[in-house]
Amino acid sequence: MLNTNQTAPVGEMLRTWRQRRRLSQLALACDAEVSARHLSFLETGRSRPSRQMLTHLAELLDIPPRDRNSLLLAAGFAPLHSETPLDNPKAADGRRAVDFLLVGHEPSPALAVDRHWTLVASNRAIGLFLEGVAPELLEPPVNVLRLSLHPKGLAPRIVNLRQWRTHALERLQKQIDASGNAALMALYTELEGYPCGPASNGRTEKNEHGYGEIIVPLRIRTDDGVLSFLTTTTVFGTAVDLTFSELAIETFFPADEFTAAALRKKAVES
């Protein structure tokens, strides 16, 4: 488990991130254009890194912004990135941008989540995914992955549950590999324990719209029939604040004309 506690020695934190990225001291030293001896001294605490050196190494190691703050704090420096809650007046412009993207995606569903997959905001079309979900799963804070894979959540309505579950867990594992976040590890363990649905009875769960192995769709049973969606993820590419750098907007697009028509119909009826 990656130790990113800001009270840990900064050298220990550097070493842990280097090992997580599977780099030798020599390889990282070459990339950083310093001697392996100097890097070794930094990791053992025999030398104190400068702020410039820490930010340089953090960039080379692709350390997430929040953990870069922890690294700087551990060395006695001020953090690089601010963190502004979405309900703070200072975040008003950013929040409006999020709402603009969500509303602009209607009548298709869209939602925004934080780094732990906690629901931050959504558009009106997201109600399609909440039908029949147990009330306790909708009590804040709502975790979107838990909501989708829990047996009392959306899972019973997902036609290709095994396929979608595999996709969701693989995506979560990539986040864990990149960040070593303990909360995400715990979430993965929880989700992995949920039922994965019945076997496909000789039929594959591949979608019927020609996407093959290229894209994993989300196929949901509804009163209007099975609706199929393709998903995309949008992030703020130039965010300097932690809240917005960690925010992801998940947008669902109709994968066929039947789904598109059903969404348009629902929008008119509402």
Side-chain angles (χ1 to χ4, degrees), residues 95-142:
R95 179 56 193 262
R96 277 193 292 271
V98 173
D99 291 338
F100 176 80
L101 291 171
L102 296 176
V103 174
H105 194 64
E106 294 176 353
S108 296
L111 53 89
V113 295
D114 66 13
R115 65 191 179 119
H116 293 143
W117 289 89
T118 302
L119 181 66
V120 171
S122 64
N123 65 12
R124 291 174 297 180
I126 206 66
L128 172 70
F129 295 155
L130 306 181
E131 297 172 3
V133 170
E136 60 267 23
L137 293 177
L138 300 177
E139 290 291 328
V142 176

Coordinates of all heavy atoms in Angstrom, one line a residue, residues 95-142:
R95 N -18.1 25.7 -11.0 CA -19.3 24.9 -10.8 C -20.3 25.2 -11.9 O -21.0 24.3 -12.4 CB -20.0 25.2 -9.4 CG -21.3 24.5 -9.1 CD -21.1 23.0 -9.3 NE -22.3 22.3 -9.3 CZ -22.9 21.7 -8.2 NH1 -22.3 21.8 -7.1 NH2 -24.0 21.0 -8.3
R96 N -20.4 26.4 -12.4 CA -21.3 26.7 -13.5 C -20.8 26.0 -14.7 O -21.7 25.6 -15.6 CB -21.3 28.3 -13.7 CG -22.3 29.0 -12.8 CD -22.5 30.4 -13.3 NE -21.3 31.3 -13.1 CZ -21.0 31.9 -12.0 NH1 -21.8 31.9 -11.0 NH2 -19.9 32.7 -12.0
A97 N -19.5 25.9 -14.9 CA -19.0 25.1 -16.1 C -19.4 23.7 -16.0 O -19.8 23.1 -17.0 CB -17.5 25.3 -16.1
V98 N -19.4 23.1 -14.8 CA -19.8 21.7 -14.7 C -21.3 21.6 -15.0 O -21.7 20.7 -15.7 CB -19.5 21.2 -13.2 CG1 -20.1 19.8 -13.0 CG2 -18.0 21.2 -12.9
D99 N -22.1 22.5 -14.4 CA -23.5 22.4 -14.7 C -23.9 22.6 -16.1 O -24.8 22.0 -16.7 CB -24.2 23.4 -13.8 CG -24.2 23.1 -12.3 OD1 -24.0 21.9 -12.0 OD2 -24.3 24.1 -11.5
F100 N -23.1 23.5 -16.8 CA -23.3 23.7 -18.2 C -23.1 22.5 -19.0 O -23.9 22.1 -19.9 CB -22.4 24.8 -18.7 CG -22.4 25.1 -20.2 CD1 -23.4 25.9 -20.7 CD2 -21.5 24.6 -21.0 CE1 -23.5 26.1 -22.0 CE2 -21.6 24.8 -22.4 CZ -22.6 25.6 -22.9
L101 N -22.0 21.7 -18.7 CA -21.7 20.5 -19.4 C -22.8 19.4 -19.2 O -23.2 18.7 -20.1 CB -20.4 19.9 -19.0 CG -19.2 20.8 -19.4 CD1 -17.9 20.2 -18.8 CD2 -19.0 20.7 -21.0
L102 N -23.3 19.3 -17.9 CA -24.3 18.3 -17.5 C -25.6 18.6 -18.2 O -26.2 17.8 -18.8 CB -24.4 18.3 -16.0 CG -23.2 17.8 -15.2 CD1 -23.5 17.9 -13.7 CD2 -22.8 16.4 -15.6
V103 N -26.1 19.9 -18.1 CA -27.4 20.2 -18.7 C -27.3 20.2 -20.2 O -28.3 19.7 -20.9 CB -27.8 21.6 -18.2 CG1 -29.1 22.1 -18.9 CG2 -28.0 21.6 -16.7
G104 N -26.2 20.6 -20.7 CA -26.0 20.6 -22.2 C -26.1 19.2 -22.8 O -26.3 19.0 -24.0
H105 N -25.9 18.1 -22.0 CA -25.9 16.8 -22.5 C -27.3 16.2 -22.5 O -27.5 15.1 -23.0 CB -25.0 15.9 -21.6 CG -24.6 14.6 -22.2 ND1 -23.9 14.5 -23.4 CD2 -24.9 13.3 -21.8 CE1 -23.8 13.2 -23.7 NE2 -24.4 12.5 -22.8
E106 N -28.3 16.8 -21.9 CA -29.6 16.3 -21.9 C -30.1 16.3 -23.3 O -29.7 17.1 -24.2 CB -30.5 17.2 -21.0 CG -30.2 17.1 -19.6 CD -31.0 18.1 -18.7 OE1 -31.7 18.9 -19.3 OE2 -30.9 18.0 -17.4
P107 N -31.0 15.3 -23.7 CA -31.7 14.4 -22.8 C -31.0 13.1 -22.4 O -31.6 12.2 -21.8 CB -32.9 14.0 -23.6 CG -32.4 14.0 -25.1 CD -31.4 15.1 -25.1
S108 N -29.7 13.0 -22.7 CA -28.9 11.9 -22.3 C -28.3 12.1 -20.9 O -28.1 13.2 -20.5 CB -27.7 11.6 -23.3 OG -28.2 11.3 -24.5
P109 N -28.2 11.0 -20.1 CA -27.7 11.1 -18.7 C -26.2 11.6 -18.7 O -25.4 11.3 -19.6 CB -27.8 9.7 -18.2 CG -28.7 9.0 -19.1 CD -28.5 9.6 -20.5
A110 N -25.9 12.3 -17.6 CA -24.5 12.7 -17.4 C -24.4 13.0 -15.9 O -25.4 13.5 -15.2 CB -24.2 14.0 -18.2
L111 N -23.2 12.8 -15.3 CA -23.0 13.0 -13.9 C -21.5 13.4 -13.7 O -20.7 13.1 -14.5 CB -23.4 11.8 -13.1 CG -22.8 10.4 -13.5 CD1 -21.4 10.2 -12.8 CD2 -23.7 9.3 -13.1
A112 N -21.3 14.0 -12.6 CA -19.9 14.4 -12.2 C -19.5 13.7 -10.9 O -20.4 13.6 -10.0 CB -19.8 15.9 -12.0
V113 N -18.3 13.2 -10.8 CA -17.9 12.4 -9.6 C -16.5 13.0 -9.2 O -15.8 13.5 -10.0 CB -17.7 10.9 -9.9 CG1 -19.1 10.3 -10.2 CG2 -16.8 10.6 -11.1
D114 N -16.2 12.8 -7.9 CA -14.9 13.1 -7.4 C -13.9 12.0 -7.5 O -14.2 10.9 -8.2 CB -15.0 13.7 -6.0 CG -15.4 12.6 -5.0 OD1 -15.4 11.4 -5.3 OD2 -15.7 13.0 -3.8
R115 N -12.7 12.1 -6.9 CA -11.7 11.0 -7.1 C -12.1 9.7 -6.5 O -11.5 8.7 -6.8 CB -10.4 11.5 -6.5 CG -10.5 11.7 -5.0 CD -9.2 12.5 -4.5 NE -9.3 12.7 -3.0 CZ -8.4 12.2 -2.2 NH1 -7.4 11.4 -2.6 NH2 -8.5 12.4 -0.9
H116 N -13.1 9.7 -5.6 CA -13.5 8.4 -5.0 C -14.8 7.9 -5.6 O -15.4 7.1 -5.0 CB -13.7 8.6 -3.5 CG -12.4 8.9 -2.7 ND1 -12.3 9.8 -1.7 CD2 -11.2 8.4 -2.9 CE1 -11.0 9.8 -1.2 NE2 -10.3 8.9 -2.0
W117 N -15.2 8.5 -6.7 CA -16.4 8.1 -7.4 C -17.7 8.5 -6.6 O -18.7 7.9 -6.7 CB -16.5 6.6 -7.7 CG -15.5 6.3 -8.8 CD1 -14.2 5.9 -8.6 CD2 -15.8 6.2 -10.2 NE1 -13.6 5.6 -9.9 CE2 -14.6 5.8 -10.8 CE3 -16.9 6.5 -11.0 CZ2 -14.5 5.7 -12.2 CZ3 -16.8 6.4 -12.4 CH2 -15.6 6.0 -13.0
T118 N -17.6 9.6 -5.8 CA -18.7 10.1 -5.1 C -19.4 11.1 -6.0 O -18.8 11.9 -6.6 CB -18.3 10.9 -3.8 OG1 -17.5 10.0 -3.0 CG2 -19.5 11.4 -3.1
L119 N -20.8 10.9 -6.1 CA -21.6 11.8 -6.9 C -21.5 13.2 -6.5 O -21.8 13.5 -5.3 CB -23.0 11.3 -7.0 CG -24.0 12.0 -7.9 CD1 -23.6 11.9 -9.3 CD2 -25.4 11.6 -7.6
V120 N -21.2 14.1 -7.4 CA -21.1 15.5 -7.1 C -22.3 16.3 -7.6 O -22.8 17.2 -7.0 CB -19.7 16.1 -7.6 CG1 -19.7 17.6 -7.5 CG2 -18.6 15.5 -6.8
A121 N -22.6 15.9 -8.9 CA -23.7 16.6 -9.6 C -24.2 15.7 -10.7 O -23.5 14.8 -11.1 CB -23.3 18.0 -10.1
S122 N -25.4 16.0 -11.2 CA -26.0 15.2 -12.3 C -27.0 16.0 -13.0 O -27.5 17.0 -12.5 CB -26.6 13.9 -11.8 OG -27.7 14.1 -11.0
N123 N -27.4 15.6 -14.2 CA -28.5 16.2 -14.9 C -29.8 15.5 -14.6 O -29.8 14.4 -14.0 CB -28.2 16.4 -16.4 CG -28.1 15.1 -17.1 OD1 -28.4 14.0 -16.6 ND2 -27.6 15.1 -18.4
R124 N -30.9 16.0 -15.2 CA -32.2 15.4 -14.9 C -32.3 14.0 -15.5 O -33.1 13.1 -14.9 CB -33.3 16.3 -15.4 CG -33.4 17.6 -14.7 CD -34.4 18.5 -15.4 NE -34.0 18.9 -16.7 CZ -34.7 19.7 -17.5 NH1 -35.9 20.1 -17.2 NH2 -34.2 20.0 -18.7
A125 N -31.6 13.7 -16.6 CA -31.8 12.4 -17.3 C -31.2 11.3 -16.4 O -31.5 10.1 -16.8 CB -31.1 12.5 -18.6
I126 N -30.5 11.6 -15.4 CA -29.8 10.5 -14.6 C -30.9 9.7 -13.9 O -30.6 8.6 -13.4 CB -28.8 11.1 -13.6 CG1 -27.7 10.0 -13.3 CG2 -29.5 11.6 -12.4 CD1 -26.9 9.6 -14.5
G127 N -32.1 10.2 -13.7 CA -33.2 9.5 -13.1 C -33.4 8.1 -13.7 O -33.9 7.2 -13.0
L128 N -33.1 8.0 -15.0 CA -33.3 6.7 -15.7 C -32.5 5.6 -15.0 O -32.9 4.4 -15.0 CB -32.8 6.9 -17.1 CG -32.7 5.6 -18.0 CD1 -34.1 5.1 -18.3 CD2 -31.9 5.9 -19.3
F129 N -31.4 5.9 -14.4 CA -30.5 4.9 -13.8 C -30.9 4.7 -12.3 O -30.4 3.7 -11.7 CB -29.0 5.4 -13.8 CG -28.4 5.5 -15.1 CD1 -27.4 6.3 -15.4 CD2 -29.0 4.8 -16.2 CE1 -26.8 6.4 -16.7 CE2 -28.4 4.8 -17.5 CZ -27.3 5.7 -17.7
L130 N -31.8 5.5 -11.8 CA -32.1 5.4 -10.3 C -33.4 4.6 -10.1 O -33.7 4.4 -8.9 CB -32.2 6.8 -9.7 CG -31.0 7.7 -9.9 CD1 -31.2 9.0 -9.3 CD2 -29.7 7.0 -9.4
E131 N -34.1 4.2 -11.1 CA -35.4 3.6 -10.9 C -35.2 2.2 -10.3 O -34.4 1.4 -10.7 CB -36.1 3.4 -12.3 CG -36.4 4.7 -13.0 CD -36.9 4.5 -14.4 OE1 -37.0 3.3 -14.8 OE2 -37.2 5.5 -15.1
G132 N -35.9 1.9 -9.2 CA -35.8 0.7 -8.5 C -34.6 0.5 -7.6 O -34.4 -0.5 -6.9
V133 N -33.8 1.5 -7.4 CA -32.6 1.5 -6.6 C -33.0 1.6 -5.1 O -33.9 2.4 -4.8 CB -31.6 2.6 -6.9 CG1 -30.5 2.7 -5.9 CG2 -31.0 2.3 -8.3
A134 N -32.4 0.8 -4.2 CA -32.7 0.9 -2.8 C -32.4 2.3 -2.3 O -31.4 2.8 -2.6 CB -31.9 -0.2 -2.0
P135 N -33.4 2.8 -1.5 CA -33.2 4.2 -0.9 C -31.9 4.4 -0.2 O -31.3 5.5 -0.3 CB -34.4 4.3 0.0 CG -35.4 3.4 -0.5 CD -34.7 2.2 -1.0
E136 N -31.4 3.4 0.5 CA -30.2 3.6 1.3 C -29.0 3.8 0.4 O -28.0 4.5 0.8 CB -29.9 2.4 2.2 CG -29.7 1.0 1.5 CD -31.0 0.2 1.4 OE1 -32.1 0.9 1.4 OE2 -30.9 -1.0 1.3
L137 N -29.0 3.4 -0.8 CA -27.9 3.6 -1.7 C -27.9 5.0 -2.3 O -26.9 5.5 -2.9 CB -27.9 2.6 -2.9 CG -27.7 1.1 -2.5 CD1 -27.8 0.3 -3.8 CD2 -26.3 1.0 -1.9
L138 N -29.0 5.7 -2.1 CA -29.2 7.1 -2.6 C -28.9 8.1 -1.5 O -29.0 9.3 -1.7 CB -30.5 7.3 -3.2 CG -30.8 6.4 -4.4 CD1 -32.3 6.6 -4.9 CD2 -29.8 6.6 -5.5
E139 N -28.6 7.6 -0.3 CA -28.3 8.5 0.8 C -26.9 9.1 0.6 O -26.0 8.4 0.4 CB -28.4 7.8 2.2 CG -29.8 7.4 2.6 CD -30.6 8.6 2.9 OE1 -30.1 9.6 3.4 OE2 -31.9 8.6 2.7
P140 N -26.8 10.4 0.7 CA -25.4 11.0 0.5 C -24.5 10.6 1.6 O -24.9 10.4 2.7 CB -25.7 12.5 0.6 CG -27.2 12.7 0.3 CD -27.8 11.4 0.8
P141 N -23.2 10.4 1.2 CA -22.6 10.5 -0.1 C -22.9 9.3 -1.0 O -22.7 8.2 -0.5 CB -21.1 10.7 0.2 CG -20.9 9.9 1.4 CD -22.2 10.1 2.3
V142 N -23.3 9.5 -2.2 CA -23.6 8.4 -3.1 C -22.4 8.1 -3.9 O -21.8 8.9 -4.6 CB -24.8 8.9 -4.1 CG1 -25.0 7.7 -5.1 CG2 -26.0 9.2 -3.3

